Amino acid sequence: MDMVRRSSYKELETDVLVIGGGSAGVTAAIAAAREGVNTLLVERYGFLGGTSTQVLDTFYGFFTPGSHPRKVIGGIPDEVITNLKRYDAMLIRPNTYGAGNGITYNPDILKIVWESLAMQAGVQILFHALAVDVETDQGRITSVFLATKSGFLRVRPRVVIDASGDADIAALAGVPYESAANGPVQALTTTFRLLNVDTQRALQISKNELHERMAQAIVEGGYNLPRKEGSIHITPLPGTMATNMTRVVNIDPTDIEQLSWAEIEGRRQALEYFRFLKERIPGYENAHLAGLSVQIGVRESRRIYGQYRLTREDVLAARKFDDAIAQCGAPIEEHHSGADTRWEYLPEGETYHIPYRCLIPLHCDGLLVAGRCLSADHDAHASVRSMGQCMAMGQAAGIAAAWAIHHHTTPSEVSIPSLQNRLRQIGAILD
């Protein structure tokens, strides 16, 4: 974009600009607005929630795995759950693979819950807007350019929170990162829901038996099932089951041509897994395909380099940090290019800390990241990317951004004790 055209754009100013209305971004926007700063939330779809409403129907990471689950996420995320309960739109269930209890919900109700909490906090929401460029001055973002149905908009923020999932803003601003260009990233998944399932009969089929029947169907021929495992679970809706089965591998989610192909392949696989369930698994004989995920689910794309980089060793050693803003007990869950998934667990009941420094990108003042684009290596990312942790990171980023504005400083200079005290005051669980 040339500067002549840029100068004619409609301009907006805000204290905090949040890019991406997923679990991390909405929570960040709510937290910042409640701290008394003007907050603009930009989302490319026409609803909030990101993966939580586009792809999945379960929050993971709220509880530690194991025989004695412990709740490790609190604050604004608790309000989300409370509002879902009000609509009788959630349930708690064991994770299929032992990754801790999951909170399964109705994604359409969640869209309204996210929206209501954001509006009540005073967040300004811009739907159908995509961040496409930035301007920087001496290492600080001065403008973010949005493509919209109304034309291009130029937003001048004091602090930016990149909750795009793909670290789009950080990458545009020159922040170093790792991506598919540096090594394999996790597989992508198109989810789907089934109606008219005889859930009583379907639930009699164990995980192991389901996988055995998959393997048998593949050997006998007639089914193309790349992932020889996967899960299907109950939902708050009677007779409705939701899946996490398909696997599209060797894709760079930041490459538009590869991502486009992945969308097509994911839907093709979804239809094949549906056919398998209907023909081979009791309880699904009269099932109907009720809906595909709005977009294919992306687990991993860009991971920035921040002031600290969370590592595999940190996760498995349950390491603690002085600048903790959240904790996580989720296992390393790597959906690699093979037919199975690699799981590695922390010691029973243990958690590790997520350092605030993982949200502060290198070489860019006035920018925070929140969600799955945080600073972490591949294996650590495979644990910390759960939506519970993304919400907790967003909560911390929003409060930190507001603190920086109130104190006329940058996010990297935020008082850690002040940030932690405020997080505890609103219900976050740091230890």
Side-chain angles (χ1 to χ4, degrees):
M1 293 183 289
D2 60 74
M3 294 306 297
V4 174
R5 291 184 60 202
R6 282 180 172 176
S7 64
S8 63
Y9 292 165
K10 177 181 177 181
E11 294 198 2
L12 299 175
E13 292 186 357
T14 188
D15 292 326
V16 175
L17 172 62
V18 182
I19 299 296
S23 297
V26 191
T27 312
I30 293 167
R34 287 181 177 178
E35 296 298 303
V37 296
N38 294 326
T39 304
L40 175 63
L41 175 60
V42 172
E43 167 55 42
R44 62 178 174 146
Y45 287 98
F47 56 90
L48 298 176
T51 296
S52 72
T53 51
Q54 296 167 18
V55 181
L56 295 179
D57 66 348
T58 301
F59 290 133
Y60 290 119
F62 271 69
F63 303 93
T64 58
S67 55
H68 301 286
R70 177 166 59 91
K71 186 170 176 289
V72 296
I73 299 296
I76 295 171
D78 288 334
E79 298 179 45
V80 176
I81 306 308
T82 297
N83 278 273
L84 287 168
K85 284 181 182 176
R86 187 171 296 132
Y87 290 103
D88 194 24
M90 58 78 65
L91 55 85
I92 297 178
R93 62 176 181 84
N95 174 265
T96 306
Y97 291 89
N101 289 338
I103 301 171
T104 296
Y105 48 80
N106 182 331
D108 291 311
I109 296 297
L110 181 58
K111 292 175 185 176
I112 298 167
V113 169
W114 281 129
E115 220 166 59
S116 298
L117 288 171
M119 295 296 288
Q120 290 164 12
V123 176
Q124 181 184 356
I125 302 171
L126 277 185
F127 286 132
H128 304 294
L130 180 66
V132 294
D133 202 2
V134 302
E135 277 185 339
T136 61
D137 182 24
Q138 297 182 346
R140 188 177 188 124
I141 296 173
T142 56
S143 297
V144 176
F145 295 88
L146 309 177
T148 80
K149 296 290 286 186
S150 302
F152 287 101
L153 299 179
R154 179 182 201 159
V155 182
R156 296 183 181 273
R158 295 174 65 184
V159 174
V160 179
I161 299 175
D162 184 345
S164 65
D166 297 325
D168 290 334
I169 300 304
L172 288 168
V175 173
Y177 60 84
E178 281 188 331
S179 68
N182 307 102
V185 297
Q186 292 202 52
L188 289 71
T189 293
T190 298
T191 59
F192 58 93
R193 287 191 289 176
L194 301 177
L195 293 180
N196 202 37
V197 177
D198 183 341
T199 53
Q200 185 174 1
R201 291 174 61 226
L203 290 173
Q204 292 176 6
I205 304 297
S206 68
K207 174 188 69 174
N208 290 338
E209 185 176 355
L210 174 65
H211 296 171
E212 288 170 4
R213 292 190 181 217
M214 277 186 187
Q216 183 180 359
I218 293 166
V219 169
E220 292 175 358
Y223 294 95
N224 182 3
L225 307 176
R227 182 181 179 189
K228 300 173 180 60
E229 41 154 56
S231 62
I232 186 162
H233 60 258
I234 60 171
T235 76
L237 304 174
T240 302
M241 301 286 276
T243 72
N244 189 335
M245 288 183 161
T246 69
R247 173 163 288 174
V248 183
V249 301
N250 300 322
I251 296 294
D252 180 354
T254 66
D255 182 304
I256 193 64
E257 292 183 353
Q258 293 185 45
L259 186 60
S260 297
W261 180 87
E263 294 280 12
I264 296 167
E265 172 62 12
R267 285 187 281 269
R268 184 202 66 77
Q269 288 187 24
L271 198 60
E272 185 75 346
Y273 279 95
F274 167 55
R275 184 171 72 90
F276 160 76
L277 290 167
K278 192 175 178 70
E279 295 175 355
R280 294 285 187 132
I281 306 299
Y284 295 92
E285 297 90 346
N286 299 311
H288 298 282
L289 185 62
L292 299 160
S293 52
V294 175
Q295 71 158 65
I296 195 166
V298 177
R299 294 181 173 89
E300 180 182 19
S301 54
R302 298 186 186 100
R303 292 173 282 107
I304 68 148
Y305 280 96
Q307 289 188 355
Y308 184 81
R309 191 163 178 78
L310 195 68
T311 68
R312 166 191 173 82
E313 291 73 23
D314 293 334
V315 170
L316 296 179
R319 193 153 290 148
K320 307 301 191 287
F321 297 93
D322 291 340
D323 61 336
I325 48 86
Q327 55 179 328
C328 180
I332 293 173
E333 176 189 347
E334 188 200 17
H335 294 254
H336 52 74
S337 59
D340 62 356
T341 301
R342 177 171 62 91
W343 297 84
E344 293 185 77
Y345 289 83
L346 281 69
E348 172 80 16
E350 278 285 2
T351 64
Y352 60 90
H353 283 161
I354 303 172
Y356 176 62
R357 288 166 293 162
C358 290
L359 312 186
I360 304 175
L362 294 177
H363 313 319
C364 191
D365 289 333
L367 176 65
L368 286 162
V369 302
R372 63 177 174 83
C373 52
L374 83 160
S375 179
D377 70 20
H378 174 75
D379 277 4
H381 178 273
S383 165
V384 78
R385 63 180 175 80
S386 294
M387 281 194 284
Q389 280 64 44
C390 288
M391 295 163 74
M393 284 185 264
Q395 182 170 253
I399 292 174
W403 195 95
I405 287 166
H406 287 314
H407 291 82
H408 307 285
T409 187
T410 65
S412 62
E413 298 172 310
V414 164
S415 163
I416 298 302
S418 297
L419 173 59
Q420 291 171 330
N421 287 340
R422 184 62 183 138
L423 284 168
R424 290 189 177 97
Q425 285 172 3
I426 68 170
I429 305 170
L430 304 187
D431 41 42

